[in-house]
Structures are given as structure tokens and as C-alpha cells.
Amino acid sequence: FGVQGGWEHRNFTGRGDNLRLSMPLWMDMQELTAQYRLPYFLNKDQAFIAQAGLLNQDTDAYDLQSFAASAGVERRFGRYWAGSLQGSAEGGQVKDPHEPRRTYVMLGIPTSLAYDDTGSLLNAEKGVRATLGMTPYTGIYFEDFSVLRTRLDAQAFYPLVGQDTMVLALRGAYGSLWGANAQQ
């Protein structure tokens, strides 16, 4: 059981920006996040994005208290293509039922490249959306580590009977973690 609340302020500074706060409170998870987006950042096709959050999870498998923050830019490269580049930092403490409480720190560089020819973000009738994300991380947990996380998300929309009548929507995702030690 739980509740979720949020607040959004559009045009916060009068520059078309957006500030969003959210706070889901569940029995085994409590989170507070803030997201900020400033369009037309140094270029008409570019936006500054930032987010930060606090997380507390108390599950049968582990307990986690963490803080995360990231900031960077998103940019359109044409009608169908967009990409982003950010810097991120995360740290906290994890408690496993069979292990002592351990501290971790991770630094990352999240990047993504997206393609979208659907023509509508909210009402896609035909076309494809795909996003490839890659994030190299380095940090410490038990010992120093470096990993590469990859994820591909794809959606396809096919009209079945006619325009606006019936659309078949397909969705899939694939991800991997390279360089991770499964024993940790």
C-alpha cells in the first residue's frame, strides 16, 4: 500500500522551464525526487536537464538509503533524432540480511541516442521509436569497479484497420551490464 504526491511548476523562471517534484510513499519504499528542465539552453534545439533524489527501500532482500543527482543536456539533431549527455553521481548504504551495512559510490556518464518518426508523442498511429542508452560507471562497493550499462528500448505502431481506428502497438527492451562481477 502507498500514496504518491507530486507538484509541477511550468515556466518557473519565465524562460519556459519546468520544475517537477514527486514523492511516492510505499510500505517498502519512500522516495523524493526533483526534476528540472530548461529549454533553449545555449541553442534553440538544446535543453538543460537536472534531477536529484533521495531513496529509502526496506525489503526482505536488502535495505537501501541513497542519494542520486545528474545534470546535462538534451539536443535534437533533426526531425527524428535526439540525444543526451549527462554526468551523474550516486551514493548510499546497502544492508544485506547476511552481510554488514556497506557504503557505495558511483559516478557515471549517461548518454542516449533516440529515433522517433511516429509524429505524435501521445497518440502514435504509425512509426517507430527507439532509444539506445549507454552509461559507463566507476565507483566503489566492496572494492573499486568499472562497468558499462546498455539498454535498448523500442516501440512500433502499425495501423490495422485504417487511420485512427485500430493500432497494433509493440514494445520491447533489452539491457546488459558489462564488466560486473556477479559475486558482489
Side-chain angles (χ1 to χ4, degrees), residues 1-152:
F1 293 102
V3 297
Q4 182 168 334
W7 176 76
E8 185 172 348
H9 191 139
R10 295 183 182 164
N11 207 20
F12 187 67
T13 64
R15 296 175 56 198
D17 53 345
N18 182 327
L19 175 65
R20 178 182 296 168
L21 303 174
S22 63
M23 190 164 73
L25 301 171
W26 309 109
M27 290 177 55
D28 59 356
M29 182 188 81
Q30 300 80 43
E31 186 175 13
L32 173 63
T33 60
Q35 297 175 325
Y36 181 71
R37 180 180 180 82
L38 176 63
Y40 307 106
F41 179 71
L42 304 177
N43 185 302
K44 68 179 181 111
D45 294 324
Q46 190 166 273
F48 172 77
I49 51 176
Q51 65 180 32
L54 297 168
L55 175 64
N56 179 61
Q57 288 183 324
D58 184 6
T59 69
D60 293 338
Y62 63 90
D63 294 337
L64 169 71
Q65 293 79 39
S66 70
F67 170 79
S70 66
V73 293
E74 287 181 347
R75 184 169 182 147
R76 295 217 53 84
F77 298 113
R79 183 174 177 188
Y80 303 122
W81 293 93
S84 70
L85 176 65
Q86 301 180 50
S88 70
E90 181 178 339
Q93 295 185 335
V94 178
K95 169 78 173 85
D96 178 302
H98 308 292
E99 298 285 336
R101 183 171 297 277
R102 297 205 186 259
T103 300
Y104 75 96
V105 175
M106 292 189 332
L107 302 174
I109 304 173
T111 61
S112 71
L113 182 62
Y115 176 83
D116 185 349
D117 70 352
T118 61
S120 174
L121 182 63
L122 300 177
N123 189 25
E125 297 171 3
K126 66 179 178 176
V128 174
R129 285 187 194 135
T131 302
L132 174 63
M134 296 177 64
T135 306
Y137 285 106
T138 188
I140 186 164
Y141 181 65
F142 286 97
E143 59 187 36
D144 293 349
F145 69 89
S146 293
V147 296
L148 176 65
R149 184 186 74 177
T150 59
R151 180 177 171 111
L152 175 63

